[in-house]
Amino acid sequence: QKEVEQDPGPLSVPEGAIVSLNCTYSNSAFQYFMWYRQYSRKGPELLMYTYSSGNKEDGRFTAQVDKSSKYISLFIRDSQPSDSATYLCAMSGQDTGRRALTFGSGTRLQVQP
Amino acid sequence: GAGVSQSPSNKVTEKGKDVELRCDPISGHTALYWYRQSLGQGLEFLIYFQGNSAPDKSGLPSDRFSAERTGGSVSTLTIQRTQQEDSAVYLCASSPGSGRGSPLHFGNGTRLTVT
């Protein structure tokens, strides 16, 4: 079993829809949670960053972390065709024994105009 | 430059040949990472450099893989005697801090194809 699980999709939604992307994880030592967006043939770019449990909002994007359930989510409101990309969750922690981020496998999102 | 720069962007090589991939991190970033991304897979950690400390090589898949970072800046990832399973996108990232919560800034990768 992978340490971080993420549904690969693809997820296809109409423009304007609310999108929910999720990851589950098994290592309770994870404290820092990030979402990266990756366009085709580009490197991942940081989209959202949260520490520990709670919500964080930035424009149309909201990140949620539920450490008790080991579950994180990214919500995209009023989705646009330009949001079509692969979304990767990533996480790390002080007591994980490693400095590198652990990534999910990514969910491919397609927003249809 | 403004971002992490990787070269070449694409590399096709024959099985058994050696390849070198280059990464130029963001100026002033002390941490540098190499990841590998295979089709449909997540990012697989390869190696991590932080300042003058010994690198964390725990993710290197075999002794055919090695990396160095000269002068705390440019890094080179070398794959010797390439195999077809080495075909992937090799991503380099840098970070301004050494903390485990420091976000990474990625380059656009080198797409390696071994024929």
Side-chain angles (χ1 to χ4, degrees):
Chain A
Q1 183 184 4
K2 292 182 180 178
E3 211 169 11
V4 179
E5 298 278 359
Q6 187 174 7
D7 188 330
L11 179 63
S12 184
V13 301
E15 183 175 353
I18 297 174
V19 176
S20 173
L21 304 168
N22 312 292
C23 286
T24 59
Y25 62 95
S26 57
N27 191 339
S28 57
F30 287 138
Q31 301 169 285
Y32 305 97
F33 303 92
M34 301 165 207
W35 286 94
Y36 284 80
R37 178 175 62 194
Q38 186 176 24
Y39 291 114
S40 180
R41 294 188 173 267
K42 297 291 187 181
E45 57 179 334
L46 181 67
L47 196 58
M48 297 289 283
Y49 175 99
T50 53
Y51 171 71
S52 194
S53 285
N55 295 358
K56 183 173 183 179
E57 186 174 323
D58 184 0
R60 295 185 296 111
F61 299 90
T62 299
Q64 286 186 351
V65 175
D66 182 349
K67 290 193 69 180
S68 62
S69 301
K70 297 190 180 68
Y71 187 87
I72 69 171
S73 300
L74 177 70
F75 297 95
I76 308 174
R77 291 182 297 280
D78 187 26
S79 56
Q80 302 295 309
S82 58
D83 295 327
S84 298
T86 296
Y87 290 79
L88 298 144
C89 62
M91 46 198 81
S92 66
Q94 297 291 348
D95 297 325
T96 57
R98 71 185 87 103
R99 290 192 177 275
L101 292 177
T102 302
F103 282 83
S105 56
T107 298
R108 190 156 63 92
L109 171 67
Q110 294 176 336
V111 181
Q112 306 293 341
Chain B
V4 176
S5 177
Q6 290 188 247
S7 60
S9 54
N10 286 282
K11 177 71 176 179
V12 180
T13 190
E14 292 180 354
K15 178 182 172 181
K17 300 282 189 183
D18 298 353
V19 294
E20 282 190 355
L21 312 179
R22 177 187 167 104
C23 173
D24 204 335
I26 293 172
S27 178
H29 280 195
T30 58
L32 187 147
Y33 301 76
W34 284 97
Y35 281 84
R36 178 169 71 176
Q37 186 174 32
S38 302
L39 188 63
Q41 302 295 313
L43 274 67
E44 175 190 5
F45 166 70
L46 297 178
I47 189 168
Y48 160 74
F49 295 91
Q50 173 57 47
N52 294 320
S53 302
D56 176 358
K57 305 179 183 179
S58 60
L60 294 178
S62 78
D63 58 9
R64 296 187 295 104
F65 288 72
S66 63
E68 62 177 22
R69 187 179 185 192
T70 54
S73 182
V74 172
S75 177
T76 302
L77 176 69
T78 301
I79 309 173
Q80 296 178 311
R81 306 181 302 282
T82 52
Q83 304 295 310
Q84 288 186 330
E85 61 263 28
D86 299 334
S87 297
V89 176
Y90 290 81
L91 291 161
C92 175
S94 67
S95 175
S98 60
R100 289 180 172 87
S102 294
L104 305 185
H105 301 260
F106 283 88
N108 287 328
T110 292
R111 185 173 300 271
L112 175 66
T113 303
V114 182
T115 62

